[in-house]
Amino acid sequence: MKTYKHLYSQVSNFENLHLAYYKARKGKRGKAYVAGFERNYEEQLFVLQDELRAKTYTPGAYASFYVHEPKKRLISAAPFRDRVVHHALCNVIGPIWEPRFVDTSYANRVGKGTHRALNKTTEYARRYRWFLQCDVKQFFPSIDHAILRAELARLIADEDALGLCDVVLKSGVGVLSEQYDMVYFSGDNLFAAQRPRGLPIGNLTSQFLANVYLNTFDQFVKRDLKCGAYLRYVDDFLLFGDDLKQLYEWRAAIIKKMATLRLTLHEESAQVYPTQSGIPFLGFRAFPGYRRVKSRKVIAYRRRLKKTLAGGFSYAGLATSIRGWVNHARHGDTHGLVRSMLRFPIPRATL
């Protein structure tokens, strides 16, 4: 198996840090924390480079907040200079794993995304009678650092690069501790509760490392279970087939495999269903011949829209909000729904 050396010098290379800075600021140039860095960004990048080369780089504290759509989650935002380092690291180690990921892993990858995942879901729904739907319980809070570190070390033969990965991992220890319910696995002792775990939701590195963590599982499904119709988006995944018994056997094998990664499923909802009943996935319900937006997504956006109209808003902000929702909804058979959603009086803008 090929391993990769001399990576750390690439991470700390000024051109790489400069590229990372541009990636980190994309779509965020109006934010005060970006503007503060941008005022003397070259000097800031040189400082970062010096810290990385001297191995004195220390991440700052996360700013955490909750979002409630589609469910309550704790989002943790790293300081902007740390985001630059995250991009610099992923610029170098990301291409090592990208060709090793299965083609039907759709989250946080260039050329993939939710809508391609939905298209593949519809394609499989047309070809197969049954599907097994699973999701990982408390996925990001459960990610075990020792297991993840071992997976990184399988391909990275550069101790300095692994050291930077360790720094990033340690910066997130405890951030999601309140979101994790301790699970003991076979062979554990009481010290298992002290195992470092958790990746902060919201980091570029967390998104990438989540794919690294589950790549061995993806390969297991494809190679060991020999499932030809499988797709995953972060911690939600689907397996399709025409043999009902085989799907339940796969379910049992998946639960055992997940335990080796110190992960568990929501077993009560990890069941086999007929594709004709529709597949609830990524905000839609996909049927063999069409797709519908989930009703709770429609209700949530109506509430958000009413709240926007009742408070202070600008026409530009309102247009951006509506355009974003319509662009999402148009990936289903929603022409009538979109028309009905937009039949409302618009008061005078207040901003």
Side-chain angles (χ1 to χ4, degrees):
M1 178 178 58
K2 181 178 180 180
T3 57
Y4 294 81
K5 302 178 181 180
H6 313 299
L7 300 176
Y8 194 71
S9 60
Q10 298 177 45
V11 174
S12 59
N13 176 276
F14 186 82
E15 286 72 19
N16 182 50
L17 290 171
H18 196 265
L19 174 63
Y21 157 67
Y22 275 103
K23 287 184 174 181
R25 78 172 191 180
K26 185 176 181 181
K28 300 179 177 67
R29 295 191 70 183
K31 303 291 186 179
Y33 59 81
V34 178
F37 191 96
E38 196 167 25
R39 277 197 296 270
N40 57 342
Y41 75 92
E42 288 190 337
E43 180 181 340
Q44 299 256 31
L45 293 178
F46 279 120
V47 170
L48 266 180
Q49 183 183 45
D50 289 342
E51 291 179 10
L52 288 169
R53 287 179 170 176
K55 302 181 185 64
T56 58
Y57 163 72
T58 303
Y62 287 94
S64 297
F65 56 93
Y66 285 99
V67 297
H68 297 270
E69 179 62 30
K71 59 185 178 182
K72 185 179 179 181
R73 293 180 299 161
L74 181 66
I75 305 299
S76 300
F80 184 74
R81 75 191 305 267
D82 294 338
R83 300 184 205 181
V84 173
V85 174
H86 296 168
H87 276 277
L89 179 61
C90 289
N91 285 349
V92 175
I93 68 173
I96 296 173
W97 265 272
E98 181 58 33
R100 291 170 169 80
F101 292 150
V102 300
D103 188 54
T104 52
S105 167
Y106 285 94
N108 309 307
R109 296 177 64 195
V110 175
K112 301 292 183 179
T114 57
H115 300 133
R116 284 184 171 86
L118 284 166
N119 290 341
K120 182 60 71 173
T121 302
T122 302
E123 176 190 327
Y124 286 156
R126 290 169 179 163
R127 290 168 51 190
Y128 297 96
R129 294 173 55 202
W130 304 97
F131 70 97
L132 168 63
Q133 182 163 35
C134 304
D135 71 296
V136 181
K137 187 181 293 186
Q138 299 176 340
F139 175 52
F140 280 97
S142 301
I143 291 175
D144 187 87
H145 288 193
I147 295 174
L148 178 55
R149 182 36 159 87
E151 180 60 20
L152 291 169
R154 270 196 332 112
L155 298 179
I156 297 177
D158 181 328
E159 286 302 318
D160 290 337
L162 285 172
L164 181 58
C165 292
D166 288 337
V167 168
V168 173
L169 288 175
K170 288 176 183 176
S171 73
V173 171
V175 171
L176 293 175
S177 59
E178 294 184 5
Q179 276 63 52
Y180 178 71
D181 298 321
M182 182 61 200
V183 177
Y184 288 93
F185 296 89
S186 177
D188 279 353
N189 55 32
L190 292 177
F191 292 105
Q194 305 303 317
R195 292 176 70 102
R197 61 176 62 85
L199 295 180
I201 300 173
N203 276 358
L204 172 71
T205 46
S206 297
Q207 297 165 6
F208 166 70
L209 293 173
N211 278 336
V212 171
Y213 198 79
L214 284 182
N215 186 49
T216 55
F217 172 74
D218 294 338
Q219 303 296 341
F220 166 78
V221 173
K222 291 279 193 175
R223 297 177 182 178
D224 293 39
L225 300 185
K226 294 181 171 55
C227 176
Y230 163 76
L231 63 93
R232 178 176 63 82
Y233 193 93
V234 191
D235 60 329
D236 295 307
F237 55 93
L238 303 167
L239 292 81
F240 294 80
D242 291 323
D243 187 331
L244 193 60
K245 180 183 176 183
Q246 183 181 61
L247 283 164
Y248 276 110
E249 289 173 350
W250 286 349
R251 178 183 182 275
I254 284 168
I255 291 172
K256 290 182 179 179
K257 179 63 177 177
M258 281 290 169
T260 68
L261 295 171
R262 304 188 66 82
L263 299 174
T264 58
L265 298 182
H266 285 102
E267 292 189 27
E268 66 282 357
S269 59
Q271 303 296 334
V272 179
Y273 306 94
T275 52
Q276 291 291 339
S277 67
I279 304 164
F281 196 52
L282 301 178
F284 289 80
R285 182 172 286 272
F287 296 86
Y290 60 96
R291 286 199 293 260
R292 294 282 189 247
V293 179
K294 283 185 180 178
S295 58
R296 65 178 175 81
K297 289 283 187 179
V298 177
I299 293 169
Y301 185 70
R302 279 179 174 153
R303 286 175 178 166
R304 190 159 70 247
L305 195 57
K306 286 180 180 178
K307 186 177 179 180
T308 299
L309 294 175
F313 73 96
S314 66
Y315 289 132
L318 179 64
T320 299
S321 172
I322 293 173
R323 191 180 302 114
W325 188 84
V326 169
N327 285 338
H328 174 69
R330 68 184 176 85
H331 289 275
D333 298 277
T334 55
H335 181 69
L337 171 66
V338 170
R339 291 186 64 185
S340 68
M341 286 281 287
L342 299 182
R343 288 195 188 115
F344 57 85
I346 301 178
R348 185 184 298 276
T350 55
L351 298 177

